[in-house]
């Protein structure tokens, strides 16, 4: 069992758990993920590692309540424990001194971007961060990302905070500003990563995205998470989760994320009913 | 000399109509009377051909004699002294090509039903012996040496059991959330009930083996770190967990599963109980399973039990070449699985929502024998036709997961990703590392993996004694 040492609702519907997981903490690197299972009847879901502390033996995850499993997870309290916390899985993010890196975080993507931005900053890069959310009350970790950024741009879709609009606006301006951009890292919803990749495609700036297809084991065993990269099938769990955004077949990824949409709705409804009762 | 009794005692099975709708075990096992009657047919010949046919060298005439004498605790003792997993082996070993093939009565077409008797002994123990009575004999003096076993499938469990019995401190590292490997995620409940697997895992633990779940070696500690951190030797039994695909157009459509994924969802995650269990699985009305091995039969029979109207096995050779056990093919046929033989997919067709709607296939014919000795399937030109399906399960076999080989210095692997190891001892070219089971052979049987685990344990013991 893995104990929840700290829990915090960052913004409505987005939760942070700091977990007791010393073995995972000892090995974690930026860009990796864990597979979480709540209990005996739970499903295995992948969550990107948002932070870790080797000395403390803790690993932090951030998740958004989107279905039955994340809703059940959100109900757990400090001191509760979950059955499984497997990791660190996946290939770590490539970290080198590239020069200037734009880190784009969309919504809950702020959490997985944070350790990547920090590692890139420590490697000597200039970091420009674009943090986007639907509105001000869904925005979190402006301070965390700000602490590793040389420049910070915040957008909200409704204009309730920062610039009004989506993240691709400032991204396009940066690319056209004349400043040399050496790399872009974009993590967030599929549609956001897709449009960031489309935005950088004309300039050819290398754009790394972190894909989040459905997984079961997370170790290369089932092939549920297969994605198409430059026409070649890859398993996101062991070949990724980071890939070249210009080569991703986004339609396939979006379609495969919808495989269980009916079951997910059914499970969420069931859960809501039983929870209300 | 007494007259030979050539009437094998049949084992009762669930009716095909009923069992196609539930996940309960198909075979129901012998009663004590049936077991004693079957055991009574053994002529106790001195040749011990049956023992020679058993990869883990069970004293077969010995435990059969004990059944005949009605001394069940003795039968249990004899069986479990060589085989830590008899309930599993009695169900899934291909006895027809091993101990029963070499039985002296096999010549008369009536070998002793050794597998059914083995199963009976294991089931009798679980039903009748208390923990104390069935607990293993006193452990030997600890040797002070430690062995790490990576993977808790049949190879790892067997190696761990033998090493623990020899007094080594054994730790099993398992990547998944339960121990048992393919016995848990691959083989379905109706062929191998999961509580039986867990009972035998607990037996191995009771011998002194410690089991670390959720431990992905290569991601947590690497093999080299394990060796540097107090373990004197390592046995690698991580199996062949990487699914193979056809690499044809349309294979990433929604509704197309690897057999590994489909079976993992159904067996390990218990998707057949969704939404009581959280993991879902899709079940189409028309399901095509590509492949002809045991895994294909398991997948097809699971799909049928989950409510598919039509389930097809698509196999490129003919019935005689089907690699599955005869018994499993017959079970599948009885339950209504439809065999599309000499058929091979060319591509999968999808709708605008990326869901599979058809399998375009070639008709095949058999040509000259290939490297495997089987006649090579050849495409009949212009024979393409479409089978309407809304789900496909690809069961073409598996290869070893590259995770450990790729994170370990000095392991030798083949172009198929298998680890090179001595056939007799399981010793790899890397110092203090042994390997056995599917990671060495590619996908094979439970018992051959157990045999490899046993031989490696003996070799590790010899090495550690110095």
């Amino acid at each position: 069992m893995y104990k929840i040492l700290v829990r915090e609702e960052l913004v409505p519907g987005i939760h942070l758990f700091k977990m007791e997981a010393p073995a995972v903490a000892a090995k974690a690197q930026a860009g990796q993920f864990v597979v979480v299972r709540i209990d005996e009847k739970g499903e295995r879901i992948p969550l990107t590692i948002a932070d870790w502390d080797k000395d403390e033996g803790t690993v932090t995850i951030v998740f958004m309540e989107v279905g039955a499993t994340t809703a059940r997870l959100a109900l757990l309290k400090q001191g509760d424990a979950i059955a499984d916390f497997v990791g660190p899985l996946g290939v770590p993010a490539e970290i080198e001194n590239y020069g200037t890196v734009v880190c784009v975080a969309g919504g809950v993507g702020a959490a997985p971007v944070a350790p990547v931005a920090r590692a890139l900053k420590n490697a000597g890069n200039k970091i420009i961060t674009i943090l986007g959310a639907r509105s001000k009350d869904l925005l979190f970790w402006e301070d965390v990302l700000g602490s590793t950024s040389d420049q910070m741009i915040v957008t909200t879709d409704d204009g309730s905070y920062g610039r009004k609009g989506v993240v691709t606006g400032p991204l396009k301006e940066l690319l056209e500003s004349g400043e040399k951009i050496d790399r872009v890292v974009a993590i967030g919803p599929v549609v956001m990563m897709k449009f960031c990749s489309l935005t950088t495609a004309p300039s050819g700036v290398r754009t790394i995205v972190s894909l989040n297809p459905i997984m079961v084991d997370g170790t290369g065993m089932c092939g549920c998470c297969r994605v198409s990269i430059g026409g070649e099938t890859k398993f996101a769990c062991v070949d990724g989760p980071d890939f070249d955004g210009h080569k991703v077949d986004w339609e396939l990824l979006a379609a495969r994320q919808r495989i269980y949409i009916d079951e997910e709705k059914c499970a969420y409804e069931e859960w809501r009913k039983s929870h209300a009762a | 000399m007494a007259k030979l009794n050539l009437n094998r005692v049949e084992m009762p099975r669930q009716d095909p109509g009923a069992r196609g709708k539930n996940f309960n075990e198909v075979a129901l096992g012998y009663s004590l009377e049936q077991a004693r009657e079957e055991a009574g047919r053994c002529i106790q010949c001195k040749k011990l051909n049956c023992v020679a046919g058993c990869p883990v060298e069970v004293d077969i005439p010995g435990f059969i004699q004990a059944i005949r004498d009605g001394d069940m605790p003795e039968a249990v003792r004899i069986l479990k002294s060589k085989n830590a997993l008899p309930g599993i082996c009695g169900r899934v070993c291909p006895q027809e090509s091993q101990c029963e093939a070499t039985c002296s009565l096999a010549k008369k077409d009536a070998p002793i039903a050794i597998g059914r008797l083995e199963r009976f002994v294991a089931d009798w123990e679980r039903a009748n012996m208390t923990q104390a009575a069935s607990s293993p004999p006193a452990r030997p003096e600890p040797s002070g040496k430690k062995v790490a076993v990576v993977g808790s499938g049949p190879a790892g469990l067997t190696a761990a059991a033998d090493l623990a019995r020899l007094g080594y401190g054994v730790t099993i590292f398992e990547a998944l959330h339960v121990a048992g490997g393919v016995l848990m995620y691959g083989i379905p409940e109706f062929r191998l009930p999961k509580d039986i697997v867990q009972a035998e895992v607990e037996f191995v633990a009771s011998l002194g083996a410690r089991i670390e779940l959720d431990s992905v070696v290569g991601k947590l500690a690497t093999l080299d770190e394990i060796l540097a951190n107090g373990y004197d030797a390592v046995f690698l039994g991580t199996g062949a967990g990487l699914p193979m695909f056809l690499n044809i157009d349309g294979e990433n459509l929604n509704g197309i599963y690897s057999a590994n994924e489909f079976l993992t969802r159904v067996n390990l995650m218990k998707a057949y109980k969704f939404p009581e269990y959280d993991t879902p699985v899709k079940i189409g009305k028309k399901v095509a399973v590509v492949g002809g091995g045991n895994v294909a039969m398991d997948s097809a029979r699971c799909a049928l039990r989950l409510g598919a109207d039509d389930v097809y096995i698509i196999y490129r050779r003919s019935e005689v070449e089907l690699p599955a056990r005869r018994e499993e093919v017959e079970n599948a046929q009885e339950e209504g699985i439809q065999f599309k033989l000499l058929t091979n997919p060319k591509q999968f067709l999808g709708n605008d929502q990326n869901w599979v709607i058809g399998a375009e296939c070639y008709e095949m014919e058999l040509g000259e024998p290939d490297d495997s000795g089987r006649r090579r399937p050849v495409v009949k030109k212009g024979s393409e036709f479409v089978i309407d399906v809304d789900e496909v399960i690809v069961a073409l076999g598996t290869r070893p997961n590259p995770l450990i080989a790729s994170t370990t210095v000095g392991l030798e692997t083949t172009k198929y990703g298998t680890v090179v190891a001595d056939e007799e001892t399981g010793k790899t070219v890397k110092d203090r590392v042994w390997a056995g089971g599917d990671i060495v052979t590619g996908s094979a049987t439970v018992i051959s993996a157990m045999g490899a685990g046993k031989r490696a344990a003996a070799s590790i013991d010899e090495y550690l004694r110095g």
Side-chain angles (χ1 to χ4, degrees):
Chain A
M1 299 294 279
Y2 301 81
K3 207 159 137 189
I4 301 163
L5 298 176
V6 177
R7 80 178 296 290
E8 190 187 335
E9 186 161 7
L10 294 171
V11 292
I14 297 181
H15 306 264
L16 174 149
F17 282 5
K18 187 191 264 195
M19 306 293 304
E20 183 176 59
V24 180
K27 287 285 181 169
Q29 293 181 64
Q32 290 188 296
F33 66 95
V34 290
V35 162
V36 168
R37 194 179 68 129
I38 301 176
D39 58 24
E40 200 42 49
K41 293 184 176 174
E43 61 181 337
R44 295 171 65 103
I45 61 163
L47 293 171
T48 311
I49 295 173
D51 200 3
W52 65 93
D53 186 323
K54 284 179 174 46
D55 301 328
E56 216 179 60
T58 61
V59 176
T60 300
I61 51 173
V62 171
F63 62 93
M64 183 158 56
E65 204 180 309
V66 289
T69 293
T70 44
R72 278 218 288 144
L73 205 52
L75 278 187
L76 297 178
K77 299 180 180 63
Q78 185 172 321
D80 287 348
I82 58 171
D84 302 286
F85 193 82
V86 191
L89 300 172
V91 179
E94 287 175 355
I95 304 294
E96 278 175 43
N97 188 353
Y98 301 103
T100 299
V101 182
V102 179
C103 293
V104 193
V108 74
V113 162
V116 177
R118 184 176 64 205
L120 286 166
K121 177 70 185 166
N122 290 342
N125 293 281
K126 175 183 175 186
I127 305 293
I128 304 172
T129 298
I130 306 173
L131 169 63
R134 281 210 310 274
S135 68
K136 186 185 175 190
D137 55 351
L138 292 174
L139 194 77
F140 67 94
W141 278 17
E142 186 185 358
D143 53 342
V144 175
L145 291 170
S147 70
T148 55
S149 303
D150 296 275
Q151 188 187 337
M152 184 83 188
I153 302 163
V154 179
T155 68
T156 52
D157 296 6
D158 62 2
S160 52
Y161 185 77
R163 281 183 53 168
K164 183 176 162 68
V166 292
V167 290
T168 45
L171 178 60
K172 187 158 185 281
E173 284 168 25
L174 282 169
L175 291 164
E176 289 169 352
S177 69
E179 179 171 357
K180 188 167 171 290
I181 306 294
D182 298 288
R183 196 176 179 93
V184 172
V185 174
I187 308 180
V190 168
V191 64
M192 168 261 174
M193 293 192 286
K194 172 186 168 178
F195 280 100
C196 285
S197 301
L198 289 174
T199 303
T200 58
S203 62
V205 173
R206 191 162 169 81
T207 301
I208 303 299
V209 292
S210 176
L211 302 188
N212 50 348
I214 302 169
M215 294 183 186
V216 184
D217 64 292
T219 63
M221 203 182 91
C222 79
C224 177
C225 65
R226 52 199 198 274
V227 290
S228 182
I229 309 296
E232 222 182 305
T233 296
K234 299 276 182 194
F235 289 3
C237 66
V238 287
D239 300 320
D242 286 4
F243 292 102
D244 179 343
H246 297 147
K247 293 186 177 166
V248 173
D249 181 338
W250 295 103
E251 277 60 45
L252 181 73
L253 178 66
R256 288 189 61 83
Q257 282 191 332
R258 289 194 298 268
I259 293 178
Y260 295 104
I261 200 147
D262 296 339
E263 288 78 3
E264 284 161 8
K265 266 189 207 142
C266 150
Y268 203 9
E269 281 308 312
E270 289 271 314
W271 178 84
R272 271 198 278 227
K273 262 187 267 165
S274 69
H275 190 61
Chain B
M1 188 179 148
K3 193 171 177 298
L4 291 178
N5 177 352
L6 300 181
N7 297 316
R8 260 166 84 100
V9 178
E10 285 307 316
M11 177 168 55
R13 291 188 301 166
Q14 267 200 78
D15 173 72
R19 75 186 191 229
K21 297 182 181 66
N22 68 54
F23 271 80
N24 300 336
E25 203 176 359
V26 168
L28 300 173
Y30 280 154
S31 64
L32 179 61
E33 292 67 35
Q34 287 168 322
R36 290 188 69 178
E37 185 185 339
E38 181 63 16
R41 294 204 307 118
C42 176
I43 58 174
Q44 294 288 326
C45 60
K46 298 293 169 242
K47 294 184 213 138
L48 302 182
N49 289 337
C50 54
V51 181
C54 174
V56 296
E57 298 166 357
V58 166
D59 175 6
I60 293 166
F63 90 78
I64 290 180
Q65 184 63 47
I67 299 173
R68 191 178 190 164
D69 297 341
D71 188 353
M72 290 306 300
E74 176 64 2
V76 170
R77 192 195 60 76
I78 295 173
L79 184 55
K80 291 187 91 171
S81 69
K82 288 283 184 171
N83 186 347
L85 317 174
I88 295 166
C89 288
R91 287 172 169 81
V92 302
C93 271
Q95 290 96 9
E96 66 278 6
S97 58
Q98 296 180 338
C99 54
E100 293 180 15
T102 52
C103 170
S104 296
L105 294 185
K107 286 177 227 138
K108 307 273 185 193
D109 252 357
I112 302 299
I114 299 166
R116 295 172 187 172
L117 291 173
E118 179 180 35
R119 169 196 163 119
F120 174 75
V121 174
D123 290 357
W124 187 91
E125 185 201 14
R126 270 186 304 112
N128 295 287
M129 284 172 89
T130 61
Q131 187 65 34
S134 64
S135 69
R139 281 180 217 165
E141 202 59 24
S143 72
K145 293 194 169 142
K146 284 167 67 181
V147 183
V149 170
V150 187
S152 66
L157 287 174
T158 305
D162 281 14
L163 289 162
R165 281 199 249 236
L166 290 164
Y168 295 102
V170 177
T171 305
I172 304 177
F173 295 97
E174 167 55 48
L176 288 172
H177 55 262
V178 288
V182 72
L183 305 168
M184 289 302 289
Y185 73 75
I187 304 178
E189 178 78 15
F190 57 82
R191 209 149 73 76
L192 180 62
K194 300 307 146 214
D195 58 354
I196 290 173
V197 178
Q198 287 312 303
E200 302 204 334
V201 166
E202 277 163 32
F203 174 70
V204 175
S206 78
L207 295 169
R210 205 158 58 95
I211 303 176
E212 296 273 351
L213 301 174
D214 292 344
S215 296
V216 186
V217 171
K219 288 292 179 186
L220 285 175
T222 64
L223 203 60
D224 292 298
E225 287 167 338
I226 289 174
L227 285 166
N229 290 335
Y231 287 93
D232 299 285
V234 174
F235 174 74
L236 278 182
T238 50
L242 199 72
M244 291 202 270
F245 284 94
L246 290 147
N247 295 316
I248 59 175
D249 284 348
E251 209 164 13
N252 292 334
L253 288 165
N254 292 3
I256 302 189
Y257 287 103
S258 73
N260 259 13
E261 180 187 352
F262 180 75
L263 291 173
T264 297
R265 284 179 179 275
V266 175
N267 300 326
L268 180 73
M269 305 309 297
K270 299 201 164 36
Y272 66 92
K273 294 183 182 169
F274 178 86
E276 183 197 344
Y277 281 72
D278 291 343
T279 305
V281 68
K282 282 283 178 187
I283 293 301
K285 290 194 161 34
K286 293 174 176 291
V287 180
V289 179
V290 183
N294 289 324
V295 173
M297 301 304 141
D298 286 346
S299 303
R301 296 170 69 198
C302 280
L304 185 83
R305 280 161 173 76
L306 287 163
D309 295 335
D310 291 287
V311 183
Y312 312 109
I313 290 277
I314 296 181
Y315 179 58
R316 59 192 185 142
R317 291 183 162 99
S318 70
E319 183 160 351
V320 292
E321 288 90 7
L322 279 168
R325 287 181 74 184
R326 190 65 231 160
E327 183 185 325
E328 300 308 330
V329 173
E330 285 167 9
N331 278 331
Q333 285 168 335
E334 275 178 23
E335 289 167 13
I337 307 295
Q338 302 163 51
F339 285 70
K340 306 254 181 202
L341 302 169
L342 291 165
T343 303
N344 205 28
K346 177 188 180 188
Q347 62 168 332
F348 298 110
L349 311 171
N351 64 15
D352 58 359
Q353 299 292 304
N354 199 55
W355 278 94
V356 66
I357 54 168
E360 186 180 0
C361 297
Y362 292 113
E363 287 177 32
M364 309 293 283
E365 53 197 353
L366 294 179
E368 294 301 306
D370 63 12
D371 294 346
S372 73
R374 295 175 299 179
R375 291 176 63 193
R376 184 192 302 276
V378 185
V379 168
K380 269 196 214 171
K381 280 218 177 87
S383 64
E384 289 95 327
F385 67 104
V386 174
I387 304 174
D388 292 336
V389 296
D390 50 9
E391 179 168 334
V392 174
I393 300 165
V394 180
L396 293 179
T398 51
R399 287 183 174 182
N401 192 316
L403 186 57
I404 290 183
S406 66
T407 53
T408 305
V409 182
L411 264 187
E412 193 185 332
T413 53
T414 67
K415 64 176 174 177
Y416 303 109
T418 53
V419 169
V420 177
D422 183 275
E423 208 173 306
E424 273 311 300
T425 63
K427 184 72 187 68
T428 69
V429 297
K430 186 175 172 68
D431 194 32
R432 297 192 284 147
V433 178
W434 281 254
D438 285 1
I439 191 179
V440 172
T441 57
S443 35
T445 61
V446 168
I447 189 69
S448 67
M450 290 177 59
K454 206 164 194 60
R455 291 192 299 277
S459 174
I460 290 169
D461 178 47
E462 194 183 311
Y463 166 81
L464 292 178
R465 276 170 199 281

